[in-house]
Short mmCIF file of all heavy atoms in Angstrom, two decimals:
data_model
loop_
_atom_site.label_atom_id
_atom_site.label_comp_id
_atom_site.label_asym_id
_atom_site.label_seq_id
_atom_site.Cartn_x
_atom_site.Cartn_y
_atom_site.Cartn_z
N LEU Q 40 16.50 -11.02 30.90
CA LEU Q 40 15.75 -10.47 29.78
C LEU Q 40 16.20 -9.08 29.35
O LEU Q 40 15.84 -8.62 28.27
CB LEU Q 40 14.26 -10.44 30.11
CG LEU Q 40 13.62 -11.81 30.35
CD1 LEU Q 40 12.18 -11.64 30.79
CD2 LEU Q 40 13.71 -12.67 29.12
N LYS Q 41 17.00 -8.40 30.17
CA LYS Q 41 17.49 -7.07 29.78
C LYS Q 41 18.31 -7.18 28.51
O LYS Q 41 19.19 -8.01 28.39
CB LYS Q 41 18.33 -6.46 30.90
CG LYS Q 41 17.51 -6.05 32.10
CD LYS Q 41 18.40 -5.43 33.16
CE LYS Q 41 17.61 -5.10 34.40
NZ LYS Q 41 18.49 -4.57 35.47
N GLY Q 42 17.98 -6.34 27.53
CA GLY Q 42 18.67 -6.37 26.25
C GLY Q 42 18.08 -7.35 25.25
O GLY Q 42 18.48 -7.38 24.10
N ALA Q 43 17.11 -8.15 25.70
CA ALA Q 43 16.48 -9.13 24.81
C ALA Q 43 15.74 -8.44 23.68
O ALA Q 43 15.29 -7.29 23.80
CB ALA Q 43 15.53 -10.02 25.60
N LEU Q 44 15.60 -9.13 22.58
CA LEU Q 44 14.91 -8.61 21.40
C LEU Q 44 13.46 -9.09 21.42
O LEU Q 44 13.18 -10.29 21.44
CB LEU Q 44 15.59 -9.10 20.13
CG LEU Q 44 14.99 -8.63 18.82
CD1 LEU Q 44 15.17 -7.12 18.66
CD2 LEU Q 44 15.61 -9.37 17.65
N LEU Q 45 12.52 -8.14 21.44
CA LEU Q 45 11.09 -8.44 21.36
C LEU Q 45 10.61 -8.18 19.94
O LEU Q 45 11.02 -7.20 19.32
CB LEU Q 45 10.30 -7.53 22.30
CG LEU Q 45 10.51 -7.69 23.80
CD1 LEU Q 45 9.80 -6.58 24.54
CD2 LEU Q 45 10.02 -9.04 24.26
N THR Q 46 9.72 -9.01 19.45
CA THR Q 46 9.12 -8.80 18.13
C THR Q 46 7.61 -8.91 18.29
O THR Q 46 7.10 -9.91 18.79
CB THR Q 46 9.61 -9.86 17.12
OG1 THR Q 46 11.04 -9.85 17.11
CG2 THR Q 46 9.09 -9.57 15.73
N ASN Q 47 6.89 -7.85 17.86
CA ASN Q 47 5.43 -7.89 17.98
C ASN Q 47 4.82 -8.62 16.79
O ASN Q 47 5.53 -9.07 15.88
CB ASN Q 47 4.84 -6.49 18.18
CG ASN Q 47 4.96 -5.60 16.96
OD1 ASN Q 47 5.23 -6.05 15.85
ND2 ASN Q 47 4.76 -4.31 17.16
N LYS Q 48 3.49 -8.74 16.77
CA LYS Q 48 2.80 -9.50 15.72
C LYS Q 48 3.00 -8.90 14.34
O LYS Q 48 2.89 -9.58 13.34
CB LYS Q 48 1.31 -9.60 16.03
CG LYS Q 48 1.00 -10.46 17.23
CD LYS Q 48 -0.46 -10.81 17.38
CE LYS Q 48 -1.30 -9.59 17.61
NZ LYS Q 48 -2.71 -9.91 17.90
N ASN Q 49 3.31 -7.59 14.26
CA ASN Q 49 3.51 -6.93 12.98
C ASN Q 49 4.96 -6.98 12.52
O ASN Q 49 5.31 -6.44 11.48
CB ASN Q 49 3.07 -5.46 13.07
CG ASN Q 49 1.59 -5.35 13.40
OD1 ASN Q 49 0.78 -6.14 12.92
ND2 ASN Q 49 1.24 -4.40 14.23
N GLY Q 50 5.84 -7.60 13.32
CA GLY Q 50 7.24 -7.73 12.95
C GLY Q 50 8.13 -6.60 13.45
O GLY Q 50 9.33 -6.61 13.19
N ALA Q 51 7.57 -5.63 14.16
CA ALA Q 51 8.38 -4.53 14.70
C ALA Q 51 9.23 -5.07 15.84
O ALA Q 51 8.76 -5.88 16.65
CB ALA Q 51 7.49 -3.39 15.19
N GLU Q 52 10.49 -4.61 15.91
CA GLU Q 52 11.41 -5.11 16.93
C GLU Q 52 11.75 -4.05 17.95
O GLU Q 52 11.88 -2.86 17.63
CB GLU Q 52 12.70 -5.60 16.25
CG GLU Q 52 12.47 -6.80 15.36
CD GLU Q 52 13.75 -7.30 14.72
OE1 GLU Q 52 14.71 -6.50 14.57
OE2 GLU Q 52 13.79 -8.49 14.36
N TYR Q 53 11.91 -4.49 19.18
CA TYR Q 53 12.25 -3.63 20.31
C TYR Q 53 13.24 -4.36 21.21
O TYR Q 53 13.28 -5.59 21.22
CB TYR Q 53 11.00 -3.29 21.14
CG TYR Q 53 9.91 -2.64 20.33
CD1 TYR Q 53 8.95 -3.42 19.70
CD2 TYR Q 53 9.86 -1.26 20.18
CE1 TYR Q 53 7.94 -2.82 18.93
CE2 TYR Q 53 8.86 -0.66 19.43
CZ TYR Q 53 7.91 -1.44 18.81
OH TYR Q 53 6.93 -0.86 18.05
N ARG Q 54 13.99 -3.61 21.98
CA ARG Q 54 14.89 -4.17 22.99
C ARG Q 54 14.34 -3.86 24.37
O ARG Q 54 13.70 -2.83 24.59
CB ARG Q 54 16.29 -3.58 22.88
CG ARG Q 54 17.03 -3.97 21.64
CD ARG Q 54 17.79 -5.23 21.86
NE ARG Q 54 18.47 -5.62 20.62
CZ ARG Q 54 18.85 -6.84 20.39
NH1 ARG Q 54 18.64 -7.79 21.26
NH2 ARG Q 54 19.46 -7.15 19.27
N ILE Q 55 14.59 -4.75 25.33
CA ILE Q 55 14.18 -4.52 26.71
C ILE Q 55 15.26 -3.72 27.42
O ILE Q 55 16.42 -4.12 27.44
CB ILE Q 55 13.92 -5.84 27.45
CG1 ILE Q 55 12.74 -6.58 26.83
CG2 ILE Q 55 13.67 -5.58 28.94
CD1 ILE Q 55 12.47 -7.94 27.44
N SER Q 56 14.87 -2.60 28.00
CA SER Q 56 15.78 -1.78 28.78
C SER Q 56 15.80 -2.25 30.23
O SER Q 56 16.84 -2.58 30.77
CB SER Q 56 15.37 -0.31 28.72
OG SER Q 56 16.13 0.46 29.62
N HIS Q 57 14.61 -2.28 30.84
CA HIS Q 57 14.50 -2.69 32.24
C HIS Q 57 13.03 -2.93 32.57
O HIS Q 57 12.17 -2.78 31.71
CB HIS Q 57 15.11 -1.64 33.18
CG HIS Q 57 14.48 -0.29 33.09
ND1 HIS Q 57 14.83 0.64 32.13
CD2 HIS Q 57 13.52 0.29 33.83
CE1 HIS Q 57 14.12 1.74 32.29
NE2 HIS Q 57 13.31 1.55 33.31
N PHE Q 58 12.77 -3.28 33.80
CA PHE Q 58 11.41 -3.53 34.28
C PHE Q 58 11.08 -2.55 35.39
O PHE Q 58 11.97 -2.07 36.08
CB PHE Q 58 11.28 -4.97 34.79
CG PHE Q 58 11.49 -5.99 33.71
CD1 PHE Q 58 12.76 -6.44 33.40
CD2 PHE Q 58 10.42 -6.47 32.99
CE1 PHE Q 58 12.96 -7.36 32.39
CE2 PHE Q 58 10.60 -7.39 31.98
CZ PHE Q 58 11.87 -7.83 31.68
N GLU Q 59 9.78 -2.28 35.56
CA GLU Q 59 9.37 -1.35 36.62
C GLU Q 59 7.96 -1.71 37.09
O GLU Q 59 7.21 -2.39 36.39
CB GLU Q 59 9.42 0.09 36.13
CG GLU Q 59 8.51 0.41 34.98
CD GLU Q 59 8.71 1.81 34.41
OE1 GLU Q 59 9.70 2.47 34.77
OE2 GLU Q 59 7.88 2.24 33.59
N VAL Q 60 7.65 -1.26 38.28
CA VAL Q 60 6.31 -1.38 38.83
C VAL Q 60 5.85 0.05 39.12
O VAL Q 60 6.55 0.80 39.79
CB VAL Q 60 6.31 -2.22 40.13
CG1 VAL Q 60 4.92 -2.24 40.75
CG2 VAL Q 60 6.78 -3.63 39.84
N LEU Q 61 4.69 0.42 38.59
CA LEU Q 61 4.16 1.76 38.79
C LEU Q 61 3.38 1.81 40.10
O LEU Q 61 2.64 0.88 40.42
CB LEU Q 61 3.26 2.15 37.61
CG LEU Q 61 3.90 2.03 36.23
CD1 LEU Q 61 2.88 2.36 35.14
CD2 LEU Q 61 5.12 2.92 36.11
N PHE Q 62 3.55 2.89 40.86
CA PHE Q 62 2.88 2.99 42.15
C PHE Q 62 1.36 2.94 42.04
O PHE Q 62 0.69 2.43 42.93
CB PHE Q 62 3.30 4.27 42.88
CG PHE Q 62 4.69 4.21 43.43
CD1 PHE Q 62 5.64 5.13 43.05
CD2 PHE Q 62 5.06 3.21 44.31
CE1 PHE Q 62 6.93 5.08 43.54
CE2 PHE Q 62 6.35 3.13 44.81
CZ PHE Q 62 7.29 4.08 44.42
N GLU Q 63 0.80 3.41 40.92
CA GLU Q 63 -0.65 3.38 40.78
C GLU Q 63 -1.18 2.00 40.41
O GLU Q 63 -2.38 1.76 40.44
CB GLU Q 63 -1.13 4.41 39.75
CG GLU Q 63 -0.67 4.17 38.34
CD GLU Q 63 0.61 4.93 37.97
OE1 GLU Q 63 1.29 5.45 38.86
OE2 GLU Q 63 0.92 4.96 36.79
N ASP Q 64 -0.28 1.06 40.08
CA ASP Q 64 -0.69 -0.29 39.72
C ASP Q 64 0.39 -1.28 40.19
O ASP Q 64 1.13 -1.82 39.38
CB ASP Q 64 -0.90 -0.39 38.22
CG ASP Q 64 -1.47 -1.72 37.78
OD1 ASP Q 64 -1.89 -2.51 38.66
OD2 ASP Q 64 -1.48 -1.99 36.58
N LEU Q 65 0.46 -1.52 41.48
CA LEU Q 65 1.52 -2.34 42.06
C LEU Q 65 1.43 -3.82 41.67
O LEU Q 65 2.37 -4.57 41.86
CB LEU Q 65 1.53 -2.20 43.58
CG LEU Q 65 1.93 -0.82 44.10
CD1 LEU Q 65 1.74 -0.76 45.61
CD2 LEU Q 65 3.36 -0.49 43.72
N LYS Q 66 0.31 -4.24 41.11
CA LYS Q 66 0.14 -5.65 40.74
C LYS Q 66 0.60 -5.94 39.32
O LYS Q 66 0.61 -7.09 38.90
CB LYS Q 66 -1.32 -6.06 40.89
CG LYS Q 66 -1.80 -6.04 42.32
CD LYS Q 66 -3.24 -6.47 42.41
CE LYS Q 66 -3.70 -6.43 43.85
NZ LYS Q 66 -5.09 -6.85 43.98
N SER Q 67 0.99 -4.92 38.58
CA SER Q 67 1.36 -5.09 37.17
C SER Q 67 2.84 -4.76 36.96
O SER Q 67 3.30 -3.70 37.34
CB SER Q 67 0.50 -4.18 36.30
OG SER Q 67 0.87 -4.29 34.95
N ILE Q 68 3.55 -5.68 36.35
CA ILE Q 68 4.94 -5.43 35.97
C ILE Q 68 4.95 -4.79 34.59
O ILE Q 68 4.25 -5.24 33.68
CB ILE Q 68 5.74 -6.75 35.94
CG1 ILE Q 68 5.82 -7.35 37.34
CG2 ILE Q 68 7.13 -6.53 35.35
CD1 ILE Q 68 6.46 -8.71 37.39
N HIS Q 69 5.73 -3.75 34.45
CA HIS Q 69 5.88 -3.07 33.16
C HIS Q 69 7.29 -3.33 32.63
O HIS Q 69 8.25 -3.37 33.39
CB HIS Q 69 5.64 -1.57 33.30
CG HIS Q 69 4.21 -1.23 33.42
ND1 HIS Q 69 3.53 -0.49 32.49
CD2 HIS Q 69 3.29 -1.54 34.36
CE1 HIS Q 69 2.27 -0.35 32.84
NE2 HIS Q 69 2.10 -0.98 33.99
N VAL Q 70 7.37 -3.50 31.33
CA VAL Q 70 8.66 -3.66 30.67
C VAL Q 70 8.93 -2.37 29.89
O VAL Q 70 8.05 -1.86 29.21
CB VAL Q 70 8.68 -4.91 29.76
CG1 VAL Q 70 7.60 -4.89 28.72
CG2 VAL Q 70 10.03 -5.10 29.13
N VAL Q 71 10.11 -1.82 30.06
CA VAL Q 71 10.50 -0.60 29.36
C VAL Q 71 11.27 -1.03 28.12
O VAL Q 71 12.28 -1.73 28.20
CB VAL Q 71 11.34 0.32 30.26
CG1 VAL Q 71 11.75 1.57 29.50
CG2 VAL Q 71 10.55 0.69 31.51
N ILE Q 72 10.75 -0.63 26.95
CA ILE Q 72 11.32 -1.06 25.67
C ILE Q 72 11.73 0.14 24.83
O ILE Q 72 11.29 1.27 25.07
CB ILE Q 72 10.32 -1.93 24.89
CG1 ILE Q 72 9.03 -1.15 24.60
CG2 ILE Q 72 10.01 -3.21 25.64
CD1 ILE Q 72 8.05 -1.89 23.68
N TYR Q 73 12.57 -0.13 23.84
CA TYR Q 73 12.97 0.89 22.88
C TYR Q 73 13.28 0.22 21.55
O TYR Q 73 13.60 -0.97 21.49
CB TYR Q 73 14.19 1.67 23.39
CG TYR Q 73 15.41 0.83 23.64
CD1 TYR Q 73 16.36 0.63 22.64
CD2 TYR Q 73 15.62 0.21 24.86
CE1 TYR Q 73 17.47 -0.16 22.86
CE2 TYR Q 73 16.74 -0.57 25.08
CZ TYR Q 73 17.67 -0.75 24.08
OH TYR Q 73 18.77 -1.53 24.30
N GLU Q 74 13.17 1.00 20.47
CA GLU Q 74 13.54 0.48 19.16
C GLU Q 74 15.06 0.35 19.13
O GLU Q 74 15.76 1.20 19.67
CB GLU Q 74 13.04 1.40 18.06
CG GLU Q 74 11.52 1.40 17.95
CD GLU Q 74 11.02 2.26 16.81
OE1 GLU Q 74 11.66 2.27 15.75
OE2 GLU Q 74 9.99 2.92 17.00
N PRO Q 75 15.60 -0.70 18.49
CA PRO Q 75 17.04 -0.91 18.50
C PRO Q 75 17.88 0.28 18.07
O PRO Q 75 18.97 0.48 18.56
CB PRO Q 75 17.24 -2.09 17.55
CG PRO Q 75 15.97 -2.86 17.66
CD PRO Q 75 14.90 -1.79 17.82
N ASP Q 76 17.36 1.11 17.18
CA ASP Q 76 18.13 2.26 16.71
C ASP Q 76 17.76 3.56 17.42
O ASP Q 76 18.19 4.64 17.02
CB ASP Q 76 17.98 2.43 15.19
CG ASP Q 76 16.54 2.62 14.77
OD1 ASP Q 76 15.63 2.37 15.58
OD2 ASP Q 76 16.31 3.02 13.61
N ASP Q 77 16.96 3.48 18.49
CA ASP Q 77 16.53 4.68 19.23
C ASP Q 77 16.45 4.38 20.72
O ASP Q 77 15.37 4.30 21.28
CB ASP Q 77 15.18 5.17 18.71
CG ASP Q 77 14.71 6.44 19.37
OD1 ASP Q 77 15.53 7.14 20.00
OD2 ASP Q 77 13.51 6.74 19.28
N GLU Q 78 17.60 4.25 21.37
CA GLU Q 78 17.61 3.89 22.78
C GLU Q 78 17.04 4.98 23.67
O GLU Q 78 16.59 4.72 24.78
CB GLU Q 78 19.04 3.55 23.23
CG GLU Q 78 19.08 2.88 24.58
CD GLU Q 78 20.43 2.29 24.91
OE1 GLU Q 78 21.27 2.13 24.01
OE2 GLU Q 78 20.63 1.97 26.09
#
Side-chain angles (χ1 to χ4, degrees):
L40 297 175
K41 289 181 184 177
L44 181 67
L45 294 172
T46 306
N47 69 15
K48 292 192 297 187
N49 299 322
E52 295 181 336
Y53 303 90
R54 292 271 178 202
I55 295 176
S56 172
H57 60 277
F58 296 88
E59 62 187 12
V60 175
L61 306 177
F62 286 122
E63 64 266 13
D64 186 11
L65 293 174
K66 294 181 181 180
S67 178
I68 295 174
H69 284 244
V70 57
V71 179
I72 60 173
Y73 60 91
E74 292 183 38
D76 59 346
D77 183 17
E78 193 168 345

